[in-house]
Amino acid sequence: TQLLEQSPQFLSIQEGENLTVYCNSSSVFSSLQWYRQEPGEGPVLLVTVVTGGEVKKLKRLTFQFGDARKDSSLHITAAQPGDTGLYLCAGTITGGGNKLTFGTGTQLKVEL
Amino acid sequence: GAVVSQHPSRVICKSGTSVKIECRSLDFQATTMFWYRQFPKQSLMLMATSNEGSKATYEQGVEKDKFLINHASLTLSTLTVTSAHPEDSSFYICSARDVLAGSSAEQFFGPGTRLTVL
């Protein structure tokens, strides 16, 4: 059973478009992180959210943690080809120690 | 930011042989390191938690006798895939937490090791 479901699984858009990736769970997370991974490389941390309802912005990326800390979203404005990659949410379950549970992943391709 | 390295970056071996992958924290000490496996087009799946000076904790379904983990120092953990078979071919990624950064410390990820078993 996958604890963290991401949607969509694949997304192919044109440069300049906006998009939102969702990360949902039935479990409560003490913190949730978003990563971006390029082929053949390890994931790179984009942001960590810890408070229910928290919103963080990183340039054209906006991250939101759900009020109940069970879900999160990543919104990209005016996507660029450089945004192409595998986006992964990951969280530490409340009471689950330090283990990170990764989401199912969203493969984003931004074309010119 | 903290740096985690892995060696080798890619390895090809024959079926039945054993392969050792190293994970090093270069500028911090890590009492805990994590080993993940990632198949093509899929997400990372935690295999085991490596604890310095004690036995590793394996996730359900991961064979501890097949994936041997040793965490002999605060900067090095090794994963040995014993008697490798083609189905073990995957991308193996480690991560490490800074021992001084507290219980909510970020995990820093290595660049991964691509294992291909012929």
Side-chain angles (χ1 to χ4, degrees), chain B residues 12-25:
Chain B
I12 301 172
C13 69
K14 293 182 179 180
S15 185
T17 61
S18 294
V19 175
K20 181 185 285 188
I21 302 170
E22 294 184 348
C23 177
R24 292 181 186 273
S25 56

Side-chain angles (χ1 to χ4, degrees), chain A residues 2 9-10 37-41 43 86 88 102-107, chain B residues 35-47 60-63 66-67 79 81 84-93 112-117:
Chain A
Q2 186 67 41
Q9 187 177 1
F10 298 100
Q37 185 183 23
E38 304 266 9
E41 299 180 10
L86 178 66
L88 297 160
F102 275 85
T104 48
T106 296
Q107 184 64 56
Chain B
W35 286 96
Y36 297 85
R37 181 167 54 183
Q38 184 178 31
F39 292 108
K41 307 294 185 183
Q42 295 186 23
S43 185
L44 279 71
M45 294 297 292
L46 179 65
M47 298 175 66
Q60 191 173 10
V62 178
E63 300 176 58
K66 181 169 182 62
F67 298 99
L79 168 68
V81 183
H85 291 283
E87 57 265 31
D88 297 323
S89 298
S90 188
F91 194 50
Y92 291 86
I93 305 173
T113 296
R114 172 75 58 194
L115 170 63
T116 303
V117 185

Side-chain angles (χ1 to χ4, degrees), chain A:
Chain A
T1 303
Q2 186 67 41
L3 290 177
L4 276 170
E5 295 285 343
Q6 286 183 236
S7 61
Q9 187 177 1
F10 298 100
L11 191 55
S12 181
I13 61 173
Q14 297 296 119
E15 183 181 18
E17 292 185 26
N18 302 331
L19 66 116
T20 302
V21 178
Y22 299 93
C23 175
N24 294 294
S25 175
S26 57
S27 300
V28 177
F29 289 86
S30 56
S31 68
L32 195 137
Q33 298 166 330
W34 284 92
Y35 294 84
R36 180 165 154 263
Q37 185 183 23
E38 304 266 9
E41 299 180 10
V44 175
L45 180 66
L46 297 174
V47 77
T48 298
V49 286
V50 296
T51 304
E54 183 176 4
V55 176
K56 280 192 174 180
K57 291 192 175 184
L58 183 65
K59 296 184 180 178
R60 294 177 294 101
L61 278 60
T62 302
F63 305 86
Q64 186 163 10
F65 201 12
D67 290 340
R69 291 186 287 132
K70 293 183 178 181
D71 56 86
S72 181
S73 64
L74 158 61
H75 182 78
I76 301 179
T77 304
Q80 299 176 0
D83 295 327
T84 294
L86 178 66
Y87 288 82
L88 297 160
C89 64
T92 50
I93 296 175
T94 302
N98 298 314
K99 293 193 300 184
L100 267 182
T101 299
F102 275 85
T104 48
T106 296
Q107 184 64 56
L108 171 65
K109 183 176 183 180
V110 183
E111 298 181 283
L112 292 170

